[in-house]
Amino acid sequence: RSSPCTETTARRRATGAMSRYMGNFARPENAIKRAEELINVGQKQAALLSLHEIVTSRRNRQWTKVLEEVMFKYVELCVELKKGRLCKDGLMQYRNTCLLVNVQSLEEVVKRFLKLSTERAETAQAEFGATLDADVDLEAEFTPESLLAKAYRLDHENEATEKETVTPWFKFLWETYRNLLDILRNNNKLEGLYAMVVKDVFKFCLKHKRTTEFRRACDLMRTHLNNMVKYKDMRDRPDLSLPETQNLYMEVRFEQLKAATTLEMWQEAFRSIEDIHGLMLLLRRSPKPQMMALYFAKLTEIFWIGKNYLHAAYAWMKLYSVSKTYNRSLTPEDERALASGVVLATMCITPYTEKSVFGDMDSDHQFDRDSRMASLLGYHIDRSRSISDVLSRELLAAEIKRSGLLAKVDDDVKRLYALMEQSFSPLDLCKKADVLFNVLQGTTIEVSEASPVSSFDFNSFLPRLRSLGIIRMVHQQSKVFETMKIDSLKSSVPFMPYHEVERILVQAIRSDYISVRIDHETGSMNFVGDRLETGFVKTHLSRAARLLQEGMSKLAPKTPADVGARVLGAELRAAIEAEHKRALARKVVIERRKEEAERAAAEQEKEEEAKRVAAQRKHEENEAKRLEQEARAREEKRIRAEMEEKEKQEALELLAEQAKRAGKKAPIVLEEGVVLDKRAIMQDAIQEQIKARQEQERKLNSLAKRMDHVERAKREESISLIEKAYKERSVDDEKYHAEQQVAMAAKHRAKWEAESAEKQRLMRMEGPRAEFARGVMIRRAEQFAAQEEERARKLEQMKKHKEAERLLQAKKDYIKRLQDIEAAVKHEKREKDRIAQAERRRQQEEEEAARRQREQPPARGGDDRWGAFAGSAFGERRRVDEAPARPPSGGSRWEPSRGGDRYEPRRDDDRGGGFGDRDRAPSNRWERGGGDRPPSRSGDDRPPSRSGGADDGKYRPPRRDDAPSRGGGW
């Protein structure tokens, strides 16, 4: 084992080597190339660490496009190696880099990260073709069951199972979602990205039915919102006063509510409703009408599941009001469904207050619970008022009657409402209601897409309505009868067994709604027992007095006062009015004076506030400077202390290493005032190492000599023993060899005898076997001969077929050669005709040139040779008025007077060359070229050749007089 000093030194060397190693790849471009090289050789972990150093380096605090590519490769490696925490560190650093420059780049990286994680999880799930187990906790590292199963698994069972392959990828995906929510939380520039990740989390929970993870995600979002509200001085805190921010937060909460109801997590759905309500109070604004309709629609489901029928009915009423007021696309069928829902929910409200099993001890809790639910519906209830004063069945029924809602409901619902709320049928109420129940049971109302409820079915209301119908019928019977047979009650309730009816009646009796005793011994029901204690009898006298007072007011109305009283009353009213006007005028004056005083006080306070702010600002500036100086001094002091401590620790490590070698105990701490010299300690350590090495070598030499002598003595003593053992072993081997020879011979003899007997037994079948083999060979010979004949016949047919094909191909080749010869003959004939035509054209041009030359006037005198030379080289100088008109194709001052190419080289072949060949017909190369170039001009504007005649075919070198003249001719 190495000492702590040695381990520390090795770790520092490794860190330094890594720093030097990373120095070569400090640029992101080089890091990407290096990572690719490491991936290609299978070192993905090293590639990830190299990219992590680049991402978290302080040198790369400014965003570049190359850094984005590094992040793409970084997240790919993190997903492949399942390094969620490492990826979180890199994304947090990249978030700080992109926050002020390019938020879009961070969004692209986050989307890439989510896409890769989701694809890997879905791919792993598709390989096994199974869904994720709902009991698996995606945040638990190991469960006791998994550890036990892994411990007791055999070697041949160590293959990857479904849970060991699929579950880790889903755990990593869930960790990805949590990390991204933690990275993107409470930042005004990342609100949209945060909302996108939250929606992806909800989709993940809905797709895989993850209720636990959905609850944790909701708790995490609540924590983020609470922290944002609590810490208002947070950097880049979202501004909740902006409409865009408010819409995002509302949209996310409503998506949370939808997901909770889809997963049937009603407790979490209720908490989501509370979150939305709290957010509305925090933002001091209501969401859009469509969202409010969804809010009340979900409230109806939540309250109905929680058996809060009163609040569910008020939620239906709110839903109907919001949809009727703001939804312009609401159809009559949608309105009929919503109105029917309101009426049915009102009918489902219990007509009495259910008492708790704890009695009055639970009243405060019940009041808080009801107040909390009423606030969700928009009603405020304080402790000075009762719940029934704000929310009650009677108030809701009166509101339905006042708004004329019964005229819009379904006809069957209207008849049911009239039967259960307005009629008095103590004997057959349930029988009449059963008919309507059967009609409503198979009835549904088709709603449109504009409706806030996706579907409307009467079946959800029927069980509750049946129970309340029984209570209503028994309550009416208690007003008419004193005693009733249980069999009569059974016959009057056709849709429910008696034990259920009795359970419903017991609950109503416990809540003091009806007073009845059920006597099973006599089979009767007694309504007389506690009749005087019911609320009906308690309020009997007050109700009678009220009715009598109303009747008296209608029979004998009060007479008006006399005239004097009326006059006195008018004077008093006028005096009171005048006094009131004077009080109002005085109040106006007082208010004006008060406003002036308040304005003066406000101005004075404003001046004082400005002075105070200026003094405060100056004080803050001075305080900031002082704090900065102190911070700088503390930082310098800390750096010096760290450097001294580092030197001290290095010296202690050297001392510990030196003491370790010397076998002594190293000092853990130094005494006060002791100063260590690192160089001197290092020099002493080197000297100690040299001495220790020399001593070790001396000891090793002495030990080698001692071991050599011992080994030599051992071998000398063992020689005689080895020889004795060899002789004894030789005798034993000879004896064993002889025994084995005898046994082998006996075994071989027995085997030979058995095989000889077997041969004699099989020799009896030799004749039949030979006869059978002869028959087989004859049959095979006949088959072979037939096959040979068939093969010869097929070969002959193939030869004939091949011969016919060769003859046909020869005929085709012969015809093709004849066609080629014919085409060549025709081509040769056309060439001859063309050459003859060209020769005729050339002769005509020569004749024309000779004629023009004869028509020219004679020279002006002088030497004939000079005139011939001048005429042939430069042309005849003629007067302008006597010069004949040049042909259209002739030259001018700025172009050659001849018709051919100015720089055409002279040739001595059959195509001609030089000046003497210009009078000839054009060569065949232009005609063979297909006429792409025009033929040469006629010889009327060409200069005459030196020889004055046709070319004799001899080569003549060019002369100085062949140069072009200044006049533009040749």
Side-chain angles (χ1 to χ4, degrees):
R1 294 180 55 185
S2 59
S3 63
C5 180
T6 307
E7 293 179 358
T8 305
T9 307
R11 186 164 55 252
R12 289 182 178 177
R13 290 176 180 174
T15 305
M18 177 60 75
S19 301
R20 293 191 298 270
Y21 170 77
M22 290 305 302
N24 298 328
F25 306 102
R27 299 182 61 185
E29 301 89 346
N30 300 336
I32 293 177
K33 294 179 182 178
R34 180 58 180 170
E36 292 289 348
E37 294 174 358
L38 292 173
I39 292 173
N40 292 333
V41 297
Q43 298 183 6
K44 295 181 180 180
Q45 184 72 25
L48 178 61
L49 292 177
S50 64
L51 293 179
H52 182 72
E53 290 291 336
I54 291 297
V55 171
T56 58
S57 177
R58 294 186 178 181
R59 300 180 181 178
N60 300 315
R61 292 297 176 86
Q62 182 141 9
W63 182 87
T64 58
K65 187 66 177 178
V66 180
L67 190 59
E68 182 180 2
E69 297 176 1
V70 171
M71 283 302 301
F72 283 149
K73 179 61 68 175
Y74 180 73
V75 296
E76 288 178 7
L77 289 174
C78 287
V79 171
E80 189 170 356
L81 299 176
K82 298 179 187 176
K83 300 293 184 181
R85 183 59 61 88
L86 205 64
C87 189
K88 180 181 179 181
D89 296 341
L91 284 174
M92 292 188 72
Q93 184 64 37
Y94 191 67
R95 177 200 63 182
N96 299 333
T97 303
C98 297
L99 206 55
L100 299 176
V101 181
N102 191 355
V103 181
Q104 187 69 25
S105 176
L106 178 61
E107 182 177 354
E108 294 296 329
V109 173
V110 169
K111 288 181 179 178
R112 183 72 171 275
F113 186 29
L114 280 177
K115 180 181 178 183
L116 292 174
S117 303
T118 307
E119 288 178 352
R120 293 304 293 266
E122 292 178 352
T123 303
Q125 184 180 12
E127 289 179 359
F128 286 90
T131 58
L132 184 64
D133 191 1
D135 298 333
V136 176
D137 189 0
L138 297 183
E139 290 190 4
E141 186 70 21
F142 294 105
T143 59
E145 294 82 2
S146 63
L147 291 176
L148 286 174
K150 190 173 182 180
Y152 285 98
R153 187 177 302 159
L154 300 178
D155 294 337
H156 64 276
E157 296 178 350
N158 284 334
E159 299 178 358
T161 62
E162 174 187 348
K163 292 185 177 180
E164 293 181 357
T165 304
V166 179
T167 306
W169 279 114
F170 277 96
K171 287 184 177 180
F172 177 75
L173 180 58
W174 175 245
E175 184 183 3
T176 299
Y177 284 130
R178 286 186 60 91
N179 291 338
L180 289 178
L181 290 177
D182 195 18
I183 292 170
L184 305 175
R185 62 184 172 88
N186 298 340
N187 196 297
N188 55 1
K189 297 181 180 179
L190 304 175
E191 294 171 349
L193 193 56
Y194 180 83
M196 182 199 72
V197 175
V198 170
K199 292 177 183 178
D200 289 344
V201 171
F202 293 158
K203 291 178 182 177
F204 166 78
C205 296
L206 287 174
K207 183 177 180 181
H208 301 285
K209 306 296 182 184
R210 305 303 304 176
T211 56
T212 305
E213 283 71 25
F214 180 77
R215 186 179 296 108
R216 288 170 178 168
C218 296
D219 292 340
L220 186 63
M221 292 170 56
R222 293 187 190 99
T223 303
H224 292 169
L225 182 61
N226 294 334
N227 290 337
M228 183 183 66
V229 175
K230 182 178 180 181
Y231 304 105
K232 296 185 178 181
D233 55 347
M234 188 186 302
R235 180 183 176 186
D236 297 329
R237 178 178 177 270
D239 188 3
L240 294 179
S241 62
L242 297 177
E244 296 83 1
T245 304
Q246 296 176 358
N247 293 335
L248 275 177
Y249 275 85
M250 282 293 181
E251 184 179 355
V252 167
R253 261 54 186 188
F254 274 98
E255 291 292 334
Q256 175 183 339
L257 177 60
K258 291 179 184 178
T261 54
T262 305
L263 292 172
E264 296 183 356
M265 300 176 62
W266 302 111
Q267 185 70 24
E268 196 61 39
F270 182 75
R271 296 180 67 187
S272 301
I273 288 287
E274 289 186 325
D275 292 343
I276 295 174
H277 183 258
L279 198 59
M280 287 191 290
L281 296 178
L282 178 65
L283 302 179
R284 297 180 181 178
R285 66 182 290 266
S286 297
K288 298 177 182 178
Q290 295 85 352
M291 290 186 176
M292 289 304 300
L294 177 63
Y295 174 81
F296 289 118
K298 297 301 181 182
L299 264 181
T300 59
E301 299 181 20
I302 295 170
F303 285 147
W304 189 264
I305 294 295
K307 297 183 179 181
N308 298 312
Y309 301 110
L310 176 63
H311 301 95
Y314 271 94
W316 272 105
M317 193 67 183
K318 287 282 187 179
L319 176 62
Y320 175 78
S321 301
V322 172
S323 301
K324 181 68 175 175
T325 305
Y326 297 102
N327 194 349
R328 304 300 181 187
S329 303
L330 204 66
T331 62
E333 291 294 322
D334 300 339
E335 188 176 357
R336 183 163 66 92
L338 294 176
S340 301
V342 174
V343 174
L344 290 175
T346 304
M347 294 169 61
C348 291
I349 300 174
T350 307
Y352 54 85
T353 303
E354 296 182 3
K355 291 185 178 181
S356 174
V357 294
F358 299 102
D360 296 335
M361 297 173 59
D362 198 35
S363 59
D364 293 338
H365 176 71
Q366 184 67 24
F367 181 84
D368 294 338
R369 175 174 170 272
D370 293 338
S371 301
R372 180 179 171 190
M373 293 185 181
S375 65
L376 298 179
L377 294 168
Y379 299 99
H380 177 67
I381 301 176
D382 53 5
R383 293 193 174 274
S384 62
R385 303 174 63 187
S386 175
I387 298 293
S388 59
D389 296 339
V390 181
L391 302 176
S392 66
R393 192 176 192 272
E394 291 75 14
L395 292 176
L396 190 57
E399 179 64 23
I400 292 173
K401 185 178 180 180
R402 184 192 62 79
S403 61
L405 199 62
L406 288 174
K408 302 176 184 179
V409 301
D410 191 77
D411 294 336
D412 297 327
V413 176
K414 187 186 300 183
R415 288 194 293 270
L416 183 62
Y417 183 82
L419 176 64
M420 297 186 66
E421 299 294 331
Q422 299 173 357
S423 66
F424 188 80
S425 302
L427 293 177
D428 56 352
L429 188 146
C430 289
K431 292 182 179 179
K432 293 178 180 179
D434 187 40
V435 178
L436 296 175
F437 289 158
N438 294 331
V439 174
L440 292 175
Q441 188 170 3
T443 305
T444 57
I445 300 178
E446 298 293 335
V447 296
S448 64
E449 296 181 356
S451 175
V453 292
S454 58
S455 62
F456 186 82
D457 191 2
F458 294 103
N459 294 331
S460 59
F461 298 96
L462 294 182
R464 181 66 181 172
L465 290 174
R466 290 190 178 101
S467 302
L468 293 179
I470 295 171
I471 295 174
R472 179 72 66 183
M473 186 184 69
V474 175
H475 185 264
Q476 292 179 3
Q477 291 173 355
S478 67
K479 295 180 180 180
V480 177
F481 303 105
E482 291 183 358
T483 305
M484 184 178 178
K485 291 291 185 181
I486 295 177
D487 295 336
S488 300
L489 179 63
K490 291 180 181 179
S491 61
S492 61
V493 182
F495 49 76
M496 190 177 292
Y498 176 71
H499 68 276
E500 292 290 335
V501 175
E502 189 173 346
R503 182 184 58 82
I504 295 171
L505 292 179
V506 168
Q507 181 65 30
I509 295 170
R510 182 185 299 162
S511 300
D512 296 335
Y513 182 65
I514 56 177
S515 178
V516 61
R517 289 180 180 178
I518 302 174
D519 191 352
H520 288 281
E521 185 177 359
T522 60
S524 62
M525 298 172 58
N526 300 319
F527 298 101
V528 182
D530 298 330
R531 186 175 179 83
L532 296 176
E533 297 180 4
T534 60
F536 179 79
V537 177
K538 289 180 180 179
T539 59
H540 179 70
L541 293 177
S542 62
R543 284 188 292 105
R546 187 172 64 254
L547 293 175
L548 290 173
Q549 186 69 26
E550 291 177 358
M552 288 294 295
S553 62
K554 291 179 180 180
L555 293 174
K558 295 180 180 180
T559 59
D562 54 358
V563 179
R566 288 200 298 270
V567 173
L568 181 60
E571 292 177 355
L572 288 174
R573 283 194 296 272
I576 292 171
E577 185 69 22
E579 185 66 25
H580 180 64
K581 289 180 180 180
R582 286 195 298 273
L584 289 177
R586 185 169 179 272
K587 182 180 180 181
V588 170
V589 174
I590 293 172
E591 290 293 336
R592 188 181 298 113
R593 292 177 181 175
K594 188 185 294 184
E595 289 177 0
E596 292 176 355
E598 290 177 355
R599 189 181 300 109
E603 291 179 356
Q604 184 178 0
E605 185 178 358
K606 188 176 180 181
E607 293 177 357
E608 294 177 355
E609 181 67 20
K611 294 179 181 178
R612 186 186 65 78
V613 169
Q616 180 70 19
R617 188 181 296 110
K618 186 175 180 181
H619 175 70
E620 289 177 356
E621 291 177 357
N622 296 333
E623 186 68 17
K625 291 180 181 179
R626 185 183 64 79
L627 292 176
E628 185 179 359
Q629 293 176 358
E630 291 180 356
R632 192 181 299 111
R634 286 196 302 270
E635 184 67 19
E636 293 177 356
K637 184 177 179 181
R638 183 186 63 80
I639 293 173
R640 284 195 299 269
E642 287 181 357
M643 293 176 64
E644 293 176 357
E645 183 66 23
K646 186 176 179 181
E647 291 285 338
K648 188 176 181 180
Q649 290 297 330
E650 290 179 354
L652 285 174
E653 290 173 1
L654 290 174
L655 284 176
E657 185 177 359
Q658 185 177 357
K660 183 76 174 180
R661 291 196 183 96
K664 301 177 182 179
K665 186 176 180 181
I668 300 176
V669 295
L670 294 178
E671 297 179 358
E672 189 68 25
V674 177
V675 180
L676 298 177
D677 188 359
K678 183 178 177 182
R679 295 183 179 179
I681 294 173
M682 290 179 64
Q683 189 67 27
D684 294 341
I686 292 172
Q687 294 294 331
E688 290 291 336
Q689 290 178 5
I690 293 173
K691 291 180 181 179
R693 192 179 297 112
Q694 291 175 355
E695 183 67 20
Q696 187 71 18
E697 289 178 358
R698 186 184 62 77
K699 290 181 179 180
L700 286 175
N701 292 332
S702 176
L703 181 61
K705 290 180 181 180
R706 193 183 310 103
M707 292 297 294
D708 187 16
H709 293 307
V710 172
E711 185 67 23
R712 185 181 298 112
K714 286 169 60 179
R715 292 189 180 184
E716 288 178 355
E717 291 293 331
S718 62
I719 290 175
S720 59
L721 299 176
I722 291 173
E723 291 178 354
K724 182 179 179 181
Y726 173 72
K727 291 178 181 180
E728 293 176 356
R729 183 64 178 270
S730 298
V731 174
D732 294 339
D733 289 344
E734 289 177 1
K735 183 178 179 181
Y736 177 75
H737 177 69
E739 293 175 355
Q740 290 295 322
Q741 286 291 335
V742 173
M744 186 180 295
K747 185 178 180 181
H748 183 69
R749 179 69 181 180
K751 183 178 180 182
W752 175 80
E753 290 176 354
E755 290 178 351
S756 298
E758 183 69 16
K759 180 179 179 182
Q760 292 298 328
R761 189 178 66 83
L762 295 176
M763 284 299 290
R764 292 178 298 173
M765 296 184 291
E766 180 62 24
R769 185 199 64 77
E771 186 64 27
F772 176 76
R774 191 180 306 107
V776 171
M777 293 301 294
I778 291 170
R779 186 169 61 254
R780 288 184 178 177
E782 291 175 356
Q783 291 178 357
F784 180 73
Q787 290 178 358
E788 283 290 329
E789 291 177 1
E790 181 67 20
R791 178 173 174 277
R793 186 180 60 79
K794 288 183 179 180
L795 285 176
E796 187 64 27
Q797 289 179 358
M798 290 177 62
K799 287 180 181 179
K800 291 179 181 181
H801 181 68
K802 289 291 184 181
E803 186 65 25
E805 287 183 352
R806 282 196 296 271
L807 290 175
L808 181 61
Q809 186 65 30
K811 289 179 181 180
K812 289 181 180 180
D813 294 342
Y814 177 71
I815 293 172
K816 190 173 184 307
R817 284 196 301 273
L818 290 179
Q819 290 175 353
D820 292 342
I821 293 171
E822 185 179 0
V825 171
K826 289 181 180 180
H827 180 71
E828 185 177 358
K829 184 177 180 181
R830 284 196 300 268
E831 285 292 326
K832 288 181 180 180
D833 292 343
R834 186 180 58 76
I835 292 172
Q837 186 179 1
E839 183 65 23
R840 286 194 301 272
R841 191 184 301 113
R842 187 183 63 78
Q843 291 177 1
Q844 290 176 3
E845 290 177 357
E846 289 181 356
E847 291 176 359
E848 184 67 22
R851 184 181 62 78
R852 288 182 180 179
Q853 188 176 6
R854 287 195 300 272
E855 290 177 358
Q856 288 180 1
R860 286 180 289 181
D863 193 356
D864 293 338
R865 292 180 297 172
W866 169 251
F869 173 77
S872 61
F874 302 103
E876 189 83 7
R877 282 179 152 303
R878 287 179 275 182
R879 296 180 182 178
V880 178
D881 53 356
E882 296 178 356
R886 294 185 179 180
S889 59
S892 64
R893 181 179 181 183
W894 308 109
E895 63 179 344
S897 59
R898 62 186 180 87
D901 190 2
R902 179 176 181 180
Y903 300 104
E904 182 181 2
R906 292 187 294 270
R907 299 178 178 88
D908 56 348
D909 53 0
D910 55 350
R911 288 177 288 182
F915 295 104
D917 299 331
R918 303 292 173 88
D919 296 333
R920 295 177 59 187
S923 62
N924 294 334
R925 66 188 182 97
W926 306 117
E927 288 133 5
R928 287 196 303 269
D932 291 339
R933 295 185 61 177
S936 303
R937 300 173 187 169
S938 59
D940 53 355
D941 59 343
R942 293 183 180 179
S945 61
R946 292 191 196 95
S947 59
D951 191 4
D952 55 0
K954 296 181 180 180
Y955 174 76
R956 295 182 180 87
R959 297 172 57 185
R960 292 183 61 189
D961 52 89
D962 291 344
S965 62
R966 297 180 181 178
W970 288 90

